[in-house]
């Protein structure tokens, strides 16, 4: 449900940037969504549809790149894929693990004319 | 065709306002707690027990986030402490921009501790920084052992989990030791408190922790 409010922030940023870059029509938006964010790709797609009446977004395709959850051990610096959200280093068993990726939520780029 | 690189976080606007809130709290030496859980886990009940124990020792304020009603704020008002209601009008979480104007309705100089009860929702409140100092999640034993695995973010992003409704343990299939292990796998630094808001059990370690945080924050802001 909050995907709509997230999408409002996303289209705001796109409108602003498009105006600055003199872009009238956006053809593609690349959004990066980490797997440990609470944004559901399908719901984001649906929310994006709500803005399709606007000329800027009429022909725009939203693409979503998912980032898997990875951890980095603070003790032995091992970088690993986190499974089932268990933040324990498979190399040295330390629980001292930083989230290296999976928390991303940003617009990577967009294309347009 | 033009390709424009952005790399701007979607939540940037929220995070900017959260920073402003945090700066204000630091200036006032005020400790702010964001209380999160799914609907009905016992946030308001825990608040009530906490207020009973702390209101003689600390000056407390509460912000109540609710989608439409003022029911929780009315429960808190009975204790005679400052409470501000935010109706999110449908939004399933509080964000920093909703909290900011609510702060004008409180005399922050006259508070030691501000507790924000978030909208009942285990999913997205964890994404929205309000400017708080700490986050406490409530999880009741009636919700099932699988909740940490299903909603890991809120537990990863919290400092505290209050495991509530332990009076119901005999009537549930909850394995509380396993539950605590699962929570620690997500976040090994979590402070865990087992409580029953109904029976008023287990609150002393929790309120002690809160009081310590309040005092630490005061010292920190006085030394700046
Ligand atoms: N048995 C038992 N019931 C409890 C306990 N704590 C709260 N409850 C009951 O659980 C229900 C919900 O409690 P609330 O405190 O309103 O929960 P909440 O998280 O604030 O709910 P929302 O604000 O609607 O999300 C109420 O009927 C409470 O009486 C407890 O420790 N044991
Ligand atoms: Mg409540
Ligand atoms: Zn390691
Ligand atoms: Zn939400």
């Amino acid at each position: 449900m909050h995907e709509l409010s997230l999408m409002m922030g996303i289209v705001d940023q796109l409108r602003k940037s498009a105006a600055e870059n003199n872009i009238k029509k956006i053809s593609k938006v690349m959004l990066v969504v980490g797997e440990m964010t609470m944004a559901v790709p399908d719901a984001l797609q649906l929310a994006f549809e709500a803005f399709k009446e606007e000329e800027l977004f009429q022909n725009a395709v939203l693409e979503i790149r998912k980032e898997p959850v990875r951890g980095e051990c603070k003790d032995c610096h091992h970088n690993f894929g986190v499974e089932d959200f268990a933040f324990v280093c498979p190399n040295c068993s330390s629980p001292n693990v930083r989230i290296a990726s999976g928390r991303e939520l940003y617009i990577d780029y967009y294309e347009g004319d | 065709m033009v390709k424009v690189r952005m790399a701007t976080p979607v939540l940037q606007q929220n995070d900017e306002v959260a920073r402003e809130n945090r700066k204000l709290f630091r200036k006032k030496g005020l400790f702010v707690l964001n209380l999160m859980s799914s609907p009905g886990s016992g946030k308001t009940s825990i608040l009530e027990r906490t207020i009973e124990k702390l209101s003689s020792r600390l000056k407390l304020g509460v912000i109540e986030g609710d989608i439409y009603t003022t029911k929780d704020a009315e429960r808190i008002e009975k204790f005679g402490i400052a409470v501000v209601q935010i109706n999110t009008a449908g939004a399933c979480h509080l964000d920093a921009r909703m909290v900011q104007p609510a702060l004008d309705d409180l005399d922050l100089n006259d508070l030691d501790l501000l507790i924000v009860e978030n909208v009942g929702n285990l999913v997205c409140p964890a994404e929205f920084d309000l400017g708080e100092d700490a986050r406490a999640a409530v999880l009741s034993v009636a919700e099932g052992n699988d909740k940490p695995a299903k909603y890991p973010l809120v537990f990863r992003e919290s400092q505290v989990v209050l495991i509530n409704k332990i009076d119901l343990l005999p009537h549930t299939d909850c394995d509380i030791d396993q539950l605590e292990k699962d929570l620690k796998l997500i976040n090994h630094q979590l402070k865990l408190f087992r409580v029953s808001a109904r029976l008023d059990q287990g609150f002393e370690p929790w309120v002690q922790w809160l009081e310590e945080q309040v005092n630490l924050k005061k010292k920190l802001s006085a030394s700046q």
Side-chain angles (χ1 to χ4, degrees), chain B residues 35 37-45 47 64-66 71-73 75-76 117-120:
Chain B
L35 190 61
S37 83
S38 36
S41 304
K43 294 179 294 302
T44 311
S45 306
L47 254 174
E64 276 294 344
D66 196 291
K71 287 186 193 300
D72 287 354
R75 280 168 67 184
I76 300 304
E117 178 178 340
N118 217 309
V119 178

Side-chain angles (χ1 to χ4, degrees), chain B residues 28 45-46 69 82 104 107 139 148 151 165 186 211:
Chain B
K28 305 285 180 191
S45 306
I46 284 173
T69 79
D104 293 337
D107 183 1
L139 183 60
Y151 306 96
K165 309 198 188 181
I186 294 170
E211 209 174 0

Side-chain angles (χ1 to χ4, degrees), chain A residues 70-112:
Chain A
R70 296 193 66 83
E72 192 194 77
C73 177
K74 288 188 193 169
D75 292 318
C76 77
H77 304 289
H78 182 54
N79 187 297
F80 59 96
V82 174
E83 283 178 31
D84 299 328
F85 305 105
F87 289 88
V88 178
C89 175
N91 190 40
C92 74
S93 305
S94 165
N96 233 337
V97 173
R98 179 182 81 79
I99 298 183
S101 85
R103 291 287 293 124
E104 299 79 358
L105 189 55
Y106 66 91
I107 308 165
D108 188 12
Y109 65 86
Y110 65 92
E111 293 172 352

Side-chain angles (χ1 to χ4, degrees), chain B residues 8 10 27 44 51-53 64 90 92 126 140 149 168 187 221:
Chain B
T8 27
V10 169
K27 202 171 115 198
T44 311
I51 293 165
E52 283 166 3
K53 289 173 181 54
E64 276 294 344
C92 43
S140 77
L168 295 179
N187 180 354
S221 101

Side-chain angles (χ1 to χ4, degrees), chain B residues 33-102:
Chain B
L33 182 86
N34 183 358
L35 190 61
M36 303 181 285
S37 83
S38 36
S41 304
K43 294 179 294 302
T44 311
S45 306
I46 284 173
L47 254 174
E48 290 171 323
R49 299 293 88 77
T50 304
I51 293 165
E52 283 166 3
K53 289 173 181 54
L54 280 181
S55 61
S56 60
R57 303 190 239 166
L58 295 175
K59 283 174 281 180
L60 273 118
V62 169
I63 292 180
E64 276 294 344
D66 196 291
I67 299 184
Y68 296 113
T69 79
T70 57
K71 287 186 193 300
D72 287 354
E74 286 161 22
R75 280 168 67 184
I76 300 304
E77 255 170 5
K78 295 207 178 94
F79 293 85
I81 66 163
V83 48
V84 179
Q85 169 80 37
I86 303 176
N87 280 126
T88 62
C92 43
H93 57 266
L94 289 176
D95 67 32
R97 274 181 294 185
M98 300 177 198
V99 170
Q100 194 171 44

Side-chain angles (χ1 to χ4, degrees), chain B residues 205-221:
Chain B
W206 154 246
V207 293
Q208 256 174 32
W209 179 85
L210 257 182
E211 209 174 0
E212 274 166 29
Q213 304 308 308
V214 168
N215 291 332
L216 272 175
K217 180 78 185 266
K218 276 222 174 98
K219 267 195 209 137
L220 208 76
S221 101

